[in-house]
Amino acid sequence: MLKPEKSYDFRKRLLTIHKSGIRDNSIAPACDEYEIKDAFRISIPADASVVLQTAAEDFRDYLLTSMNISATVSDENTSNNAVVIALCENQSEDYVISFDDVITITAKTDRTASQALYCLEDKMSARKAPFIKKEEIKHTFMFSPRMVHPGYGVDQFPDEHLAQIAHAGMDTVLVFVKGVNETPSGFLDFNDLCQRAAKYGIDVYAYSYMFCKVHPDDEGAQEIYDSLYGEIFKNCPHFKGLVLVGENIYFNSKDEKTYLRSIYSSESFPSDTPHPGFWPCNDYPKWLEVIKKSVYKYNKDTDIVFWTYNWGFAPEEDRIALINNLPKDISLLVTYEMYEKVQREDIWEICSDYTLSFEGPGTYFKTEAEAAKKNGIRLYAMANTGGQTWDMGLIPYEPMPYQWIKRYQGLRDAQEKWGLCGLMESHHYGFFPSFIGDLSKQAFIKEQPDLIESLKNVVFAKFGTKHFRIIDEALKKWSEAITHYVPCDDDQYGPFRVGPSFPFSLIKMRKPPSNENAHFGNRILKNEFPAGQTLASTPPTGRGMIYSLRVCSEVKSLEKMLELMKDGISLLDKIPEEDRNTELSYLINLGKYICCYVQTGINAKEWFRIRARLLSEENINEFPKLIESAEKLLLSERENVTEALTYVRLDSRLGWEPSMDYLGDEKAINWKISFIDYVLKTELKHFRNATDKKWLV
C-alpha cells in the first residue's frame, strides 16, 4: 500500500542503491546453485583501482542490505565461500563468471568487473535469495557510450544516483555546459563531477549550450572558439566527450539554403527558409574542424558527437551530402524514430519527436546510418532506451516492455547492418530506474538473444513471481496501447506534455504556473491547442495533415489506447493488496495515472472541436447545444483531473520532469480544477449571455 508523498520524495528512491528485505528466507538452494553464506569474502587484486574497490564495497553492501549476508573485502586468496576477481584484458568477452568452490570473475577492465558484480546482484534479486545457478556466464556489451541525463534534476548528480546509473549498465552521463564550471542552472564543479562519476565507471560528456555566431571563415574565428571550447577542455580535462546539436550551437552559416540569426525576414514576416540550427548546412564540416582544433589541443581523445536531431525533415540529398563531408574522426548521433510517417486509423501522422508508438528505425535514421557506414564514421543512436520518450512528459518511464523489445531488436540489428556502437538513452527528462531500464541492460548484452526470457527475469526481480501471468498479460495490453498514441507536436507539446493539468479555455489562454528556477518550466508547453509543426512552426513546414482533417481519427486512436490501458489495469487490480510489493503498487498507480493522461488528450481534442464551433458558428439557434456540450465536457474533464489527484499524491515523481519541474503535481492539478470552474462560471457565461435571444427583444 503506497502512502502519500511530499514533493520531491521520489528522490529518496534515487538515493537508495540497494533495497532491504529482498531475501525470502523460505527458499532453499537447489542442487545446481551456488550458495553465498555469512563471512563471504570478496577478493580483489592488491592494486585494484578505485573503480573496482567501489564496486566491491557496493557488493558487500548489497549482500548485507538485501540478502542479510555478512561479507568482507580484501586482497587475500581464499578457497571457498568467496568471489575472486581478476583482470584479463586479452579475453574476448567483457567478463566471464564461473563457479566452483569459489565464484571466479575474469574481466577485461575494472569497469566490466564491476558490471559482473552487478550481474550477480541482479541474479540474486530475481531469485530472492543468495543463490546463483552454477553455469558459466559470458557477457559482452554491445554499446558504449550509453549516455543519460540525470533523473534527480537537471545537472544534479548525487553519488547514489550515479551508482544507480552504473548498476543499470549506463557508462556515461551528460551535463549541459555554458562555460567553465557553468551550466544553464548555475555553477557546477565539472572536475569534481568527473572524478565522482569515475568511481562508478562513468564518463562525463559535455553537452554544449555555447552559442557562437562566428563563422569559421571569419577573422579571428579560431581564437574565439579557443576561448570557448578550448577553455572548457583546458580547465576541465576529465571530460571524455562533447555533444553538439544544431539548435544549441548554431553559427552564421553561409549556406544559401538558410537564413541568418533572426527568425523574421526584413519585412518582419516569418521566413520560409530554414534557420542554420535546423538545417544540414554545407559549412558545418568546416565549423567542426575549428571545434576539433580547440578541443584536441587539450585532449586528443575527446569523443566529439555531432547530432543531426534538428534536420531529419530535410531532403535526403542535403543530409547525406553533409555526412559525406564530415570529419571521419567524430561520432554521428542520429535519432532513431523521428520524422517517420505512421498511420493512425484512416490518416497519417509524422513522428515529430521521440516516441515509443513507432518502434523504429525510421527512414531518417536508416539513410544516415548507411552514410555513416560508407564514410567510416562512428554511429550512435538517440534511442531513449533509458525508458522514457516525449509521449507523456510527466511520467518517469513508459511501462510498455514488448514495444521496447521491438526497439531493442532493431538496435541490435543496426549494429550488424551499420556498425551502431553507442547510444543516447535519455535527454533532459533524465534516467529513472525502472524495470524497463533493467530490461535495456539485458537487451544490450551480445549473448542475450532471448529478450522475452530477459523480461520474465526482470519482472520476477521487480514485482515477484506469484502473479507473473497477470502482470505479463497487463504489460502486453499496455505495449499494444502505446501503438495507438498520436506522435505529433500538437500532443507532445500540448496535452501530453503535462497531462491532466493541461488547461482548457475558450477565450483567455493560460498555462499552469511553474517554478521560476526550472530549466524550461512551462515554456515548452503550448497551451493553444493545436499548436505544432502543422501550421505554428517557424517557418510553417506542412509536415502533417491540417488538424481539423485528422482530429476525429486521432480521437478514435486514443480511445483504443485508453481501452487497452484500462484492460491492463483491470487485470492488475485482480492482484490482492497483500500480494503487491511496493514496486508493483507504483506500477499500478502509474498505469492509472497514464489513463488520466490519455483521457485528457482525448478531451483536449474534443474541446478543440467544440471551441472551434463556438468561435465560428453563425446560427444563433445552435449555441445552446454547443454550450451544453462544452459544459458537459468540462465537467467530465474535471472528474478525470480529480481522479488524477489520487495518483500524484501517492507518487511524487508523477507530474514532475527535470527540466520543467512540477507542472502536474497536486498544486498544478488544483489550479486546473480552478481554471475549469472559471471557464464554466465566467467564459461560458459570456457565451450564454451574448447569444441569449432576449437581447433581440
Side-chain angles (χ1 to χ4, degrees):
M1 177 77 77
L2 299 179
K3 296 180 180 179
E5 292 186 345
K6 297 178 181 178
S7 297
Y8 306 105
D9 272 358
F10 71 88
R11 286 177 170 169
K12 296 175 184 176
R13 283 175 263 161
L14 297 182
L15 298 179
T16 303
I17 304 171
H18 300 130
K19 292 181 172 60
S20 60
I22 290 179
R23 181 172 184 174
D24 183 347
N25 290 309
S26 68
I27 300 176
C31 60
D32 63 345
E33 289 184 318
Y34 187 98
E35 180 181 3
I36 293 178
K37 301 177 181 179
D38 272 328
F40 188 75
R41 182 73 59 82
I42 304 166
S43 178
I44 61 177
D47 60 348
S49 68
V50 66
V51 175
L52 190 48
Q53 291 177 40
T54 301
E57 286 295 334
D58 175 276
F59 191 61
R60 182 197 63 76
D61 181 71
Y62 170 82
L63 290 174
L64 182 62
T65 303
S66 301
M67 292 293 150
N68 198 27
I69 294 288
S70 65
T72 57
V73 178
S74 75
D75 58 3
E76 298 177 7
N77 290 326
T78 186
S79 58
N80 56 59
N81 196 35
V83 59
V84 178
I85 303 169
L87 301 183
C88 180
E89 63 181 16
N90 295 322
Q91 70 182 31
S92 56
E93 301 87 1
D94 282 311
Y95 64 76
V96 178
I97 306 174
S98 57
F99 299 85
D100 198 350
D101 292 331
V102 300
I103 303 172
T104 302
I105 294 174
T106 55
K108 267 189 174 183
T109 67
D110 51 4
R111 291 188 175 192
T112 58
S114 302
Q115 291 298 323
L117 290 173
Y118 302 154
C119 174
L120 295 177
E121 293 180 12
D122 294 341
K123 290 186 176 296
M124 285 186 278
S125 293
R127 186 71 170 92
K128 306 299 181 187
F131 315 142
I132 308 165
K133 189 174 182 179
K134 294 178 182 177
E135 59 182 1
E136 188 174 55
I137 301 169
K138 294 183 177 182
H139 283 173
T140 307
F141 301 120
M142 297 184 69
F143 301 111
S144 183
R146 292 183 60 191
M147 300 176 275
V148 293
H149 283 274
Y152 192 88
V154 173
D155 298 327
Q156 297 183 51
F157 300 90
D159 280 10
E160 295 88 345
H161 188 40
L162 290 169
Q164 283 189 327
I165 290 170
H167 277 71
M170 285 83 174
D171 61 5
T172 302
V173 294
L174 299 161
V175 59
F176 292 129
V177 173
K178 289 186 68 176
V180 176
N181 293 328
E182 182 185 1
T183 75
S185 303
F187 174 82
L188 178 65
D189 188 333
F190 292 153
N191 289 323
D192 172 72
L193 169 60
C194 292
Q195 290 161 5
R196 287 190 296 109
K199 292 191 305 181
Y200 303 100
I202 295 173
D203 292 328
V204 182
Y205 278 35
Y207 186 115
S208 178
Y209 256 59
M210 293 185 285
F211 291 91
C212 182
K213 296 182 180 181
V214 176
H215 190 278
D217 288 341
D218 291 348
E219 184 177 353
Q222 188 64 61
E223 290 76 12
I224 292 171
Y225 282 96
D226 286 350
S227 69
L228 293 172
Y229 291 93
E231 281 299 302
I232 293 293
F233 284 83
K234 175 184 177 181
N235 289 279
C236 312
H238 300 295
F239 277 142
K240 294 297 178 68
L242 172 65
V243 177
L244 305 166
V245 59
E247 66 186 77
N248 293 126
I249 46 81
Y250 62 80
F251 62 104
N252 279 325
S253 172
K254 296 180 181 179
D255 189 318
E256 294 181 355
K257 294 183 178 180
T258 68
Y259 63 93
L260 299 182
R261 293 301 64 80
S262 174
I263 63 172
Y264 298 104
S265 65
S266 58
E267 293 83 13
S268 296
F269 294 112
S271 171
D272 61 357
T273 307
H275 182 287
F278 295 80
W279 185 259
C281 304
N282 55 26
D283 41 6
Y284 266 118
K286 186 178 293 187
W287 179 84
L288 281 166
E289 290 293 351
V290 173
I291 298 290
K292 280 174 51 184
K293 189 173 181 180
S294 295
V295 172
Y296 287 176
K297 180 178 180 181
Y298 299 102
N299 187 348
K300 292 183 179 179
D301 296 324
T302 302
D303 183 13
I304 295 180
V305 182
F306 188 56
W307 188 6
T308 62
Y309 165 80
N310 290 110
W311 46 76
F313 66 88
E316 181 178 339
E317 59 267 25
D318 293 284
R319 294 186 287 104
I320 302 309
L322 170 59
I323 294 172
N324 290 340
N325 289 300
L326 289 176
K328 308 308 180 197
D329 57 348
I330 66 165
S331 301
L332 185 72
L333 176 62
V334 186
T335 307
Y336 190 66
E337 78 281 20
M338 282 176 63
Y339 304 108
E340 192 71 6
K341 184 183 291 186
V342 295
Q343 186 171 346
R344 293 292 179 266
E345 300 299 310
D346 57 349
I347 52 128
W348 54 265
E349 303 276 359
I350 298 294
C351 296
S352 298
D353 231 307
Y354 319 128
T355 181
L356 184 60
S357 62
F358 167 58
E359 65 270 19
T363 302
Y364 151 55
F365 177 84
K366 289 187 283 188
T367 54
E368 296 199 0
E370 290 168 358
K373 181 179 181 180
K374 178 181 177 182
N375 285 279
I377 298 174
R378 284 190 305 273
L379 175 66
Y380 299 163
M382 171 42 161
N384 299 287
T385 38
Q388 170 67 318
T389 70
W390 278 24
D391 292 329
M392 288 163 276
L394 298 179
I395 62 173
Y397 66 96
E398 291 178 83
M400 291 86 177
Y402 287 93
Q403 185 72 351
W404 282 115
I405 285 173
K406 293 178 185 178
R407 177 160 298 181
Y408 302 149
Q409 191 56 60
L411 291 166
R412 290 173 67 98
D413 293 344
Q415 182 168 96
E416 183 177 344
K417 290 180 182 177
W418 304 299
L420 178 68
C421 60
L423 301 174
M424 180 180 280
E425 304 201 60
S426 76
H427 200 221
H428 53 68
Y429 40 81
F431 168 70
F432 191 89
S434 70
F435 80 103
I436 298 298
D438 295 343
L439 184 59
S440 296
K441 177 181 176 179
Q442 298 301 314
F444 301 145
I445 293 171
K446 186 176 182 179
E447 299 86 355
Q448 200 80 13
D450 191 343
L451 300 183
I452 302 301
E453 185 65 23
S454 296
L455 173 60
K456 183 177 180 179
N457 292 332
V458 166
V459 169
F460 281 178
K462 216 73 170 181
F463 310 121
T465 61
K466 187 174 181 179
H467 297 283
F468 170 75
R469 290 186 180 180
I470 292 177
I471 297 170
D472 187 54
E473 190 61 32
L475 295 176
K476 286 178 180 176
K477 295 286 187 182
W478 291 358
S479 298
E480 183 183 351
I482 194 63
T483 65
H484 296 283
Y485 174 83
V486 179
C488 64
D489 272 348
D490 300 307
D491 284 347
Q492 290 184 329
Y493 287 86
F496 281 89
R497 173 67 63 179
V498 296
S501 59
F502 182 77
F504 290 20
S505 63
L506 275 172
I507 303 170
K508 183 67 174 179
M509 297 297 176
R510 300 183 188 274
K511 294 182 180 183
S514 66
N515 183 347
E516 63 180 13
N517 296 315
H519 183 71
F520 285 133
N522 61 20
R523 289 187 293 117
I524 55 175
L525 168 65
K526 306 298 184 183
N527 61 333
E528 185 168 0
F529 183 75
Q533 295 285 20
T534 305
L535 292 174
S537 57
T538 306
T541 60
R543 294 204 298 272
M545 291 178 68
I546 299 300
Y547 190 75
S548 58
L549 299 178
R550 54 188 169 92
V551 61
C552 291
S553 294
E554 290 181 354
V555 168
K556 290 178 183 178
S557 192
L558 288 178
E559 285 175 341
K560 289 181 180 179
M561 180 182 181
L562 182 57
E563 181 181 0
L564 287 161
M565 288 299 303
K566 287 184 175 180
D567 286 347
I569 292 295
S570 296
L571 287 165
L572 293 171
D573 276 342
K574 294 178 182 179
I575 301 174
E577 286 280 353
E578 60 269 22
D579 290 347
R580 303 179 188 180
N581 64 12
T582 301
E583 294 291 345
L584 182 54
S585 295
Y586 276 123
L587 176 69
I588 296 171
N589 193 67
L590 170 60
K592 291 179 177 179
Y593 178 66
I594 290 175
C595 288
C596 295
Y597 229 103
V598 180
Q599 187 64 66
T600 290
I602 293 169
N603 289 346
K605 294 176 189 297
E606 296 288 9
W607 182 250
F608 160 78
R609 298 168 72 189
I610 292 171
R611 180 175 182 268
R613 288 196 62 192
L614 279 169
L615 296 177
S616 61
E617 180 58 55
E618 296 179 0
N619 184 347
I620 195 170
N621 295 319
E622 292 296 316
F623 274 90
K625 290 184 292 185
L626 287 173
I627 292 170
E628 181 181 354
S629 296
E631 185 175 63
K632 183 178 179 180
L633 183 60
L634 287 171
L635 291 173
S636 174
E637 175 64 5
R638 195 183 195 283
E639 183 178 343
N640 177 57
V641 170
T642 302
E643 181 183 345
L645 272 177
T646 303
Y647 311 128
V648 300
R649 285 169 176 162
L650 295 176
D651 183 354
S652 59
R653 178 53 182 81
L654 303 181
W656 181 89
E657 188 263 1
S659 73
M660 295 189 292
D661 207 293
Y662 279 112
L663 283 181
D665 60 348
E666 183 173 355
K667 178 181 177 182
I669 290 177
N670 280 326
W671 172 88
K672 164 71 171 285
I673 292 172
S674 297
F675 189 55
I676 289 175
D677 292 342
Y678 165 79
V679 176
L680 283 166
K681 296 175 183 178
T682 304
E683 292 191 345
L684 269 183
K685 181 180 178 181
H686 163 75
F687 276 81
R688 283 195 189 93
N689 292 340
T691 58
D692 192 331
K693 289 186 178 181
K694 292 178 182 178
W695 290 101
L696 301 177
V697 177

